[in-house]
Amino acid sequence: MSFRDEALEANASYASAFVATERAAPPSRRVAVLACMDARLQPEGALGLALGEAHVIRNAGGRVTDDAVRSLVLSSAVLGTREAAVVHHTDCGLLGATNEGLRAHVAEATGTETDEIDEIDFLPFDDAERALLDDVRAITRDPRLAFDTVSGFLYDVRTGRLREVAPG
Amino acid sequence: MSFRDEALEANASYASAFVATERAAPPSRRVAVLACMDARLQPEGALGLALGEAHVIRNAGGRVTDDAVRSLVLSSAVLGTREAAVVHHTDCGLLGATNEGLRAHVAEATGTETDEIDEIDFLPFDDAERALLDDVRAITRDPRLAFDTVSGFLYDVRTGRLREVAPG
């Protein structure tokens, strides 16, 4: 069975147990989370967020990219979130990687001309704590974002435990 | 209590129930999901994804941006995912919005010079099904991405139900 079939089957049972209520778009706890896409991290579970409570933005690394800023601006200025949290994690594939190494890997895996891959900055980093602090700072300093507090957490994929690196 | 305090408290109980096992970085079901950041959507629950099974990339609208492509390239070429699913939803704030309207809203909310906001394309759309099909097609056609199948689902925030719009 393909993932598509399995997802529709799983969703039928999810929807049958779903409590249908009118939920407004603005997150009820006024929180926006920026987290890594890693499969071993589920931000809602790890941070205790229920349905309707927070925006969750995720990309490779949980980095502050132009697209993350686009999403955070909509979250804060349009939908009224007031606190932000950045969640990176242990054993991240971007830690210790380089653009050159990743580009070579991608070119080999896809057989694609490297020109198209050279455009991509994969945003690797060498120091997990520094990358997290950089991302917290990027949100704090962006004049288009007006969060009251921005916290930074490092999630341990082996234990499920958060460690606060940048106090909000 | 601030969100930061509540998150650390919630995480202490999450971690105490966490089954510590060695999970490898590549998602075990070889799946990548691109979904909207909306608080009323929890992709893992709605699609039946357990910890470790899939990458989850999220932004405002679940749109295929440069950053989503960066993340999807790492997911597929480096971490071996083979199926992708795009998940948009009903009652999306970007549906029927315009860049002009959103920029005016943001400028007023932040008191920021509009020049800095004019740089942002918020990626609003007028037709939910067409936007979803566009995003599925963008992933399918990108030579840097080599998914075997790409499905597109519209999630109903009122009922929890997925409707397939683009069959994988």
Side-chain angles (χ1 to χ4, degrees):
Chain A
M1 198 150 78
S2 70
F3 167 66
R4 174 258 174 209
D5 296 331
E6 290 167 345
L8 285 171
E9 193 172 295
N11 179 256
S13 109
Y14 179 80
S16 74
F18 193 86
V19 181
T21 47
E22 291 301 327
R23 291 177 181 85
S28 62
R29 284 175 68 186
R30 300 188 141 209
V31 168
V33 174
L34 171 62
C36 185
M37 69 174 180
D38 196 281
R40 298 163 295 176
L41 166 63
Q42 287 195 343
E44 290 92 340
L47 280 77
L49 294 164
L51 201 66
E53 294 188 340
H55 285 139
V56 181
I57 299 153
R58 302 181 67 178
N59 64 26
R63 308 306 315 266
V64 178
T65 59
D66 287 350
D67 191 36
V69 170
R70 175 184 71 91
S71 300
L72 288 166
V73 166
L74 290 167
S75 177
S76 65
V78 179
L79 291 162
T81 55
R82 293 282 172 267
E83 291 189 65
V86 183
V87 185
H88 291 186
H89 63 89
T90 59
D91 194 35
C92 188
L94 291 174
L95 176 63
T98 63
N99 272 320
E100 293 64 35
L102 291 167
R103 284 169 188 154
H105 195 123
V106 173
E108 194 183 328
T110 61
T112 310
E113 290 298 314
T114 46
D115 277 8
E116 289 170 300
I117 295 159
D118 286 350
E119 291 166 16
I120 305 178
D121 180 353
F122 289 104
L123 305 175
F125 49 87
D126 281 326
D127 180 323
E129 295 205 7
R130 199 173 61 193
L132 180 51
L133 288 167
D134 284 348
D135 283 333
V136 167
R137 215 168 282 138
I139 294 174
T140 307
R141 293 186 180 168
D142 194 311
R144 297 164 296 186
L145 300 173
F147 293 104
D148 295 335
T149 62
V150 185
S151 316
F153 300 100
L154 202 62
Y155 175 82
D156 187 325
V157 295
R158 213 177 42 79
T159 64
R161 200 167 290 277
L162 286 176
R163 181 163 66 82
E164 189 176 40
V165 170
Chain B
M1 198 150 79
S2 70
F3 167 66
R4 174 258 175 208
D5 296 330
E6 290 167 345
L8 286 172
E9 193 171 295
N11 179 256
S13 110
Y14 179 79
S16 73
F18 193 86
V19 182
T21 47
E22 291 301 327
R23 293 177 180 84
S28 62
R29 285 175 68 186
R30 300 187 141 209
V31 168
V33 174
L34 171 62
C36 184
M37 70 175 179
D38 196 281
R40 298 163 295 176
L41 166 63
Q42 287 195 343
E44 290 92 340
L47 280 78
L49 293 164
L51 201 66
E53 293 189 339
H55 286 137
V56 181
I57 299 153
R58 301 181 66 178
N59 64 28
R63 308 306 316 265
V64 179
T65 58
D66 286 350
D67 191 36
V69 170
R70 176 184 70 91
S71 299
L72 288 167
V73 166
L74 290 168
S75 176
S76 64
V78 179
L79 290 162
T81 55
R82 294 280 171 267
E83 291 190 66
V86 182
V87 185
H88 291 187
H89 63 91
T90 59
D91 194 35
C92 188
L94 291 174
L95 176 63
T98 62
N99 272 321
E100 294 64 34
L102 291 167
R103 284 168 188 154
H105 195 123
V106 173
E108 195 183 327
T110 61
T112 310
E113 289 299 314
T114 46
D115 278 7
E116 288 170 301
I117 295 158
D118 286 350
E119 292 165 15
I120 304 180
D121 179 354
F122 288 105
L123 305 175
F125 49 87
D126 281 326
D127 180 325
E129 295 206 6
R130 198 172 63 193
L132 180 51
L133 288 167
D134 285 348
D135 282 333
V136 166
R137 216 168 281 137
I139 294 174
T140 307
R141 293 185 180 167
D142 195 311
R144 297 163 297 187
L145 300 172
F147 291 104
D148 296 336
T149 62
V150 185
S151 316
F153 300 100
L154 202 60
Y155 175 83
D156 188 325
V157 295
R158 212 177 42 79
T159 64
R161 200 167 291 279
L162 287 177
R163 181 164 66 82
E164 190 175 41
V165 170

